[in-house]
Amino acid sequence: MTNYVKIFDTTLRDGEQSPGATMTSAEKLEVAHNLARLGVDIIEAGFPAASPDDLEAVRRIALEVGNPANAESDARVPVITGLARANKNDIDKAWEAVQGAKKPRIHTFLATSAIHMKHKLKMDPEDVVQRVAEMVSYARTLCADVEFSPEDAGRSEPEFLYVVLGEAIKAGATTLNIPDTVGYTTPDEFYALIDGIIKNTPGMHDGITVSVHCHDDLGLATANTLAGIRAGARQAEVTVNGIGERAGNTSLEEVVMTLKTRHPVFQLETGIETQQLSRISKLVSNYTGIVVQPNKAIVGSNAFAHEAGIHQDGMLKHQTTYEIMRPEDVGVSQTNLVLGKHSGRHALRNRLAEMGHSLDEVELDKAFARFKELADRKKIITDLDLEAVIADEFYRPRDVYLLNGMQVSCGTMGMPTATVRLRGPDGVIHTVAAIGTGPVDATYKAIDSIVNVPCTLLEFNIHAITEGIDALGEVTVRIQSESSATTMDPQSEMEYIRVYGGHGADSDIIVASAKAYINALNKLIIAQTEGGEKIKNDFGVMLG
Ligand code: KIV
Ligand code: ZN
């Protein structure tokens, strides 16, 4: 058995498909490029049958990320896959979307637990077996690489799974993925399930990859995934930051860093460049508006902070006293004094390149202007500040509306008032003043009266990026509108109203708040227009 574990990333499918993690097509493409750079083996780019938009997003990823012009070797080119329910229409759509990739894969699934077969599929077990055989065979007529998943395997009868999986092998499946769809199993049970499948499935051979796909409802997703790997699975299906349905999927960074840090225990390798974990975590968090909890393993802001005095003393004596991983191994820079007011363009370019950002001249000009502006207000600029500026400047949706200026007055003496100036999609500058219960409320009211797309603010988060009174403030928001497009969950087949996230960073927290809100509104507008729906606001301005 090989000692290589393939990392199958489903951030853009199981992660994005969950309500509340919407990304625009451009953001999905950017995340896919970063996943390829990270070294994942397979990118599940979406569910093409959900809508023409979803299909197009997967197709672009297949063409661009699945066909890199300057890949070091074929081995570094990721497989691009799309999910399909076990029917011809979904499989055709998945194939249409992924066929442009150098290494395409079709991933099809059908539920096998008694509860799903009876209540969701309303199918007899014999019909399920037959459908799996037919649809895997059909997918194989289109694509040489076919993955099959028996949905809710964690609650399925093992003996029935052996039969279904045996038929999938006979029909030509190359990967058998075993999902614990509802996050129900325990590590011992999941180990036994994978072990039983490898030993008892008819036709199982070395050419078949057994894969694991766990959900985190009981907080056991990583433990279960590692148990499955110990039992012989050689593909792990994961998402960045563990985002996904309900409590989420297994987190990519936790599995990868456990295999690396405890190498003597597992003796297994992955192709992941772990120094990029922190950066991609931030990227996904900024794009989805889903904040990473501070104590999240590997990528949380406290994961490498040793603040208690006793710890710091221990740390000074020997770094390994409290650290089992080096922060730099996951891309958390320990460099503090990076650049100051007098640093030049060249120094900025070098530092950004060391951090993994290669900017062209135009981008560097923009980054330099932002850097100088920040250096006027803040003495020391750290890597974290630079990451925030890069995210704010480059990882944001196309500007439908752009903040052109703002002024806020607040305090205990009067009504908090915000005057906001936005450049609209027609190039016209709109200026509006509004009062609110506080400075953020007043600002958002002013923005609302210009943009005029009614929506609900579901979440507002603010935090300081570094220590000190001059720290940059970072704001993430999540919004939803009654007119937001819906998305279809491939498993429950329910339609959800999409939620849009926005991110902004500035040394003025009210400005950061305004930027985050405008970003989220821009995404909502772009998504609606990408969906073919042209919307006008009350001023008659065509948006998007
Ligand atoms: O959780 C699950 O069962 C899935 C399958 C579609 C693989 O996401
Ligand atoms: Zn799943």
Side-chain angles (χ1 to χ4, degrees):
M1 189 176 284
T2 165
N3 68 348
Y4 185 84
V5 179
K6 293 182 214 167
I7 299 298
F8 175 118
D9 182 275
T10 183
T11 305
L12 297 172
R13 199 279 298 171
D14 223 353
E16 206 265 350
Q17 214 80 49
S18 71
T22 313
M23 288 183 242
T24 63
S25 303
E27 289 172 340
K28 288 181 194 170
L29 191 62
E30 179 72 23
V31 169
H33 274 299
N34 278 278
L35 287 170
R37 235 173 275 153
L38 179 70
V40 306
D41 301 276
I42 301 110
I43 297 174
E44 186 162 55
F47 171 46
S51 73
D53 252 14
D54 288 69
L55 192 151
E56 184 52 26
V58 178
R59 207 180 64 82
R60 270 188 73 189
I61 291 170
L63 286 175
E64 291 187 32
V65 184
N67 274 296
N70 48 5
E72 286 161 32
S73 74
D74 250 19
R76 299 299 291 170
V77 177
V79 171
I80 308 292
T81 190
L83 186 70
R85 289 166 296 187
N87 65 59
K88 284 192 174 175
N89 175 58
D90 274 29
I91 292 172
D92 286 341
K93 295 253 160 63
W95 178 236
E96 189 184 336
V98 300
Q99 61 182 287
K102 195 160 193 178
K103 299 183 191 169
R105 173 182 292 184
I106 295 174
H107 176 193
T108 187
F109 73 98
L110 193 64
T112 49
S113 64
I115 191 165
H116 275 225
M117 289 190 289
K118 182 166 177 214
H119 298 294
K120 182 176 106 162
L121 300 177
K122 302 190 186 346
M123 283 171 80
D124 292 331
E126 301 72 41
D127 297 333
V128 166
V129 175
Q130 196 187 336
R131 173 85 72 86
V132 170
E134 281 171 10
M135 289 304 122
V136 172
S137 298
Y138 179 65
R140 269 306 300 263
T141 63
L142 303 171
C143 183
D145 186 354
V146 173
E147 171 169 332
F148 170 70
S149 297
E151 191 193 6
D152 204 17
R155 290 189 300 172
S156 301
E157 288 298 330
E159 283 69 25
F160 182 57
L161 279 177
Y162 307 153
V163 174
V164 174
L165 295 172
E167 286 301 317
I169 294 177
K170 237 198 278 171
T174 41
T175 299
L176 299 176
N177 175 49
I178 313 305
D180 181 20
T181 304
V182 290
Y184 181 70
T185 61
T186 64
D188 287 350
E189 286 168 352
F190 203 61
Y191 178 98
L193 182 67
I194 301 300
D195 187 50
I197 286 170
I198 291 174
K199 290 184 175 145
N200 300 316
T201 300
M204 182 65 79
H205 59 88
D206 278 354
I208 301 284
T209 301
V210 174
S211 166
V212 285
H213 174 120
C214 299
H215 281 263
D216 207 27
D217 298 65
L218 292 172
L220 294 173
T222 299
N224 285 341
T225 296
L226 292 168
I229 289 171
R230 274 202 307 110
R234 288 296 175 265
Q235 175 176 292
E237 300 204 350
V238 292
T239 61
V240 174
N241 298 338
I243 66 168
E245 296 278 5
R246 306 178 309 278
N249 287 60
T250 306
S251 109
L252 182 154
E253 56 279 2
E254 290 175 17
V255 171
V256 166
M257 287 313 290
T258 304
L259 294 180
K260 181 173 168 134
T261 309
R262 306 304 311 277
H263 190 268
V265 174
F266 291 92
Q267 314 243 346
L268 294 169
E269 319 294 334
T270 72
I272 298 298
E273 286 187 25
T274 60
Q275 297 83 346
Q276 300 198 27
L277 287 171
S278 171
R279 193 157 66 90
I280 197 156
S281 159
K282 272 216 124 307
L283 182 73
V284 169
S285 170
N286 288 348
Y287 279 171
T288 56
I290 299 176
V291 178
V292 176
Q293 73 193 56
N295 57 321
K296 164 83 178 65
I298 319 294
V299 291
S301 55
N302 282 354
F304 293 97
H306 299 271
E307 279 155 341
I310 187 165
H311 284 209
Q312 277 185 9
D313 182 48
M315 288 286 294
L316 290 176
K317 285 183 184 134
H318 198 291
Q319 197 179 9
T320 55
T321 319
Y322 285 99
E323 261 180 21
I324 58 165
M325 296 166 274
R326 290 179 315 157
E328 45 281 28
D329 288 345
V330 301
V332 174
S333 172
Q334 291 300 284
T335 319
N336 249 341
L337 193 127
V338 185
L339 298 165
K341 195 176 165 69
H342 301 294
S343 305
R345 225 177 111 87
H346 191 64
L348 179 70
R349 184 206 293 273
N350 284 351
R351 187 63 209 145
L352 288 174
E354 278 163 18
M355 290 162 64
H357 300 288
S358 50
L359 306 187
D360 63 28
E361 290 304 315
V362 178
E363 290 169 336
L364 187 65
D365 281 347
K366 282 192 191 164
F368 191 59
R370 284 292 303 269
F371 164 71
K372 281 286 170 198
E373 199 184 287
L374 183 61
D376 277 340
R377 302 196 220 168
K378 195 171 187 291
K379 254 204 236 137
I380 298 168
I381 303 202
T382 67
D383 285 357
L384 289 175
D385 295 317
L386 289 182
E387 285 291 3
V389 166
I390 291 292
D392 194 52
E393 196 59 48
F394 301 111
Y395 301 162
R396 64 164 201 251
R398 180 160 52 81
D399 294 317
V400 182
Y401 285 93
L402 181 67
L403 184 65
N404 191 260
M406 62 183 288
Q407 180 73 50
V408 176
S409 73
C410 61
T412 54
M413 305 286 285
M415 298 282 230
T417 309
T419 308
V420 174
R421 210 167 54 208
L422 300 186
R423 201 202 64 214
D426 46 6
V428 174
I429 301 288
H430 304 265
T431 308
V432 164
I435 51 172
T437 53
V440 176
D441 186 47
T443 303
Y444 284 16
K445 284 203 168 106
I447 294 171
D448 279 343
S449 62
I450 296 173
V451 175
N452 207 19
V453 174
C455 67
T456 310
L457 180 67
L458 300 177
E459 225 175 282
F460 175 90
N461 282 291
I462 184 160
H463 84 279
I465 290 174
T466 49
E467 293 142 27
I469 198 73
D470 60 355
L472 269 184
E474 192 173 38
V475 174
T476 25
V477 299
R478 290 174 5 112
I479 62 168
Q480 189 176 51
S481 138
E482 279 313 311
S483 65
S484 295
T486 55
T487 182
M488 199 247 282
D489 176 64
Q491 294 167 260
S492 65
E493 299 186 342
M494 293 205 294
E495 295 278 342
Y496 292 102
I497 298 176
R498 288 189 185 259
V499 172
Y500 300 90
H503 165 266
D506 200 279
S507 47
D508 181 320
I509 56 173
I510 309 300
V511 175
S513 306
K515 285 180 176 175
Y517 190 50
I518 295 165
N519 274 358
L521 283 166
N522 283 342
K523 275 169 81 165
L524 193 158
I525 293 165
I526 291 167
Q528 285 174 335
T529 49
E530 266 179 2
E533 196 187 331
K534 296 277 174 241
I535 52 169
K536 270 186 188 171
N537 67 12
D538 280 358
F539 305 116
V541 174
M542 192 66 85
L543 304 174

